[in-house]
Amino acid sequence: MLQLFEEHTLKHYSYLRDTMPTLVPALKLLGSSRPADPAPLSTGSAQYLSAILARIETAPSSCVRRELMEACRHDLSRLATIDRAIPGALQFSALYISSQLLMMDILSNKLWSNPSALASQQGNVVKNCISQLLSQCLKLQHLYVGLNTEDLSCVKQFKLKALALQLVYIVRGSNFSALALCEHFLETVEDTQR
């Protein structure tokens, strides 16, 4: 039956096999004796990912933690292009760490202490960073499939923090109504609790 499939179907199978290897079985295509996507060799990427994340958790100071996170983000992004075994997990982790770094940058900005500075042109930098952070949260939540419930709850909680940051920015740095944002925030809180 596999010989009857059209070329685009086989390409679609390859795409699905690459994006969801745990859900799509390896098939022998076109009478070949090897599977369409052989099991990749273990390169130690999963062990590296676990080790680096454990090192970040046990960092002695926030400065060291930040340096480790920046190095880890860079390494994971490069490793995702090399290792075909777990590229999604590596990309997800790199994006999550990048989002954490962006959140740290936003919170460390000195403009938060001066509401009038937040309302000025300088405050637009903070506003753009918050928008970028919310965009990354949406990517984390909807771009990656097969996340376990623990990862999904971490992403939802992080998105909730980003929405809270946006709400604080609107209340402190502008004279816009925050009613719609408050309602959206409360809806997200209820969704996170489920």
Side-chain angles (χ1 to χ4, degrees):
M1 184 171 173
L2 291 175
Q3 288 86 11
L4 301 176
F5 288 149
E6 296 180 20
E7 184 178 340
H8 73 276
T9 305
L10 297 176
K11 287 180 183 177
H12 190 68
Y13 164 77
S14 297
Y15 165 76
L16 288 175
R17 178 75 180 134
D18 286 342
T19 56
M20 297 179 278
T22 58
L23 299 176
V24 179
L27 300 175
K28 294 179 184 178
L29 297 178
L30 302 175
S32 74
S33 59
R34 64 176 187 86
D37 188 15
L41 298 174
S42 175
T43 59
S45 297
Q47 291 83 7
Y48 171 76
L49 178 60
S50 298
I52 194 71
L53 293 177
R55 247 184 274 143
I56 289 172
E57 285 181 15
T58 60
S61 69
S62 60
C63 183
V64 173
R65 180 177 293 123
R66 181 175 186 79
E67 288 178 16
L68 279 173
M69 288 173 73
E70 287 174 358
C72 180
R73 177 182 50 97
H74 179 263
D75 291 347
L76 290 174
S77 296
R78 291 210 11 100
L79 194 56
T81 62
I82 297 169
D83 191 354
R84 290 192 45 176
I86 53 170
L90 295 170
Q91 291 169 351
F92 175 82
S93 298
L95 183 59
Y96 187 75
I97 290 172
S98 176
S99 300
Q100 291 281 350
L101 288 168
L102 184 58
M103 175 78 83
M104 291 168 75
D105 289 343
I106 293 169
L107 291 174
S108 66
N109 195 318
K110 296 188 187 308
L111 294 176
W112 287 106
S113 60
N114 185 0
S116 62
L118 274 176
S120 69
Q121 286 291 85
Q122 296 171 338
N124 284 337
V125 173
V126 174
K127 181 181 178 182
N128 292 338
C129 288
I130 292 173
S131 296
Q132 182 182 358
L133 183 63
L134 289 170
S135 172
Q136 288 180 352
C137 287
L138 286 174
K139 287 180 184 177
L140 285 168
Q141 196 170 10
H142 299 291
L143 189 61
Y144 299 96
V145 294
L147 295 177
N148 60 29
T149 55
E150 183 179 329
D151 292 338
L152 279 174
S153 64
C154 284
V155 170
K156 285 182 178 182
Q157 289 175 6
F158 189 75
K159 181 181 177 187
L160 191 61
K161 290 177 187 177
L163 287 172
L165 196 60
Q166 181 187 34
L167 187 59
V168 170
Y169 171 79
I170 293 296
V171 169
R172 286 189 58 124
S174 72
N175 57 359
F176 295 118
S177 172
L179 182 61
L181 281 175
C182 284
E183 290 175 359
H184 179 64
F185 180 77
L186 292 174
E187 289 172 6
T188 306
V189 168
E190 289 177 12
D191 181 50
T192 303
Q193 289 175 342
R194 285 185 225 147

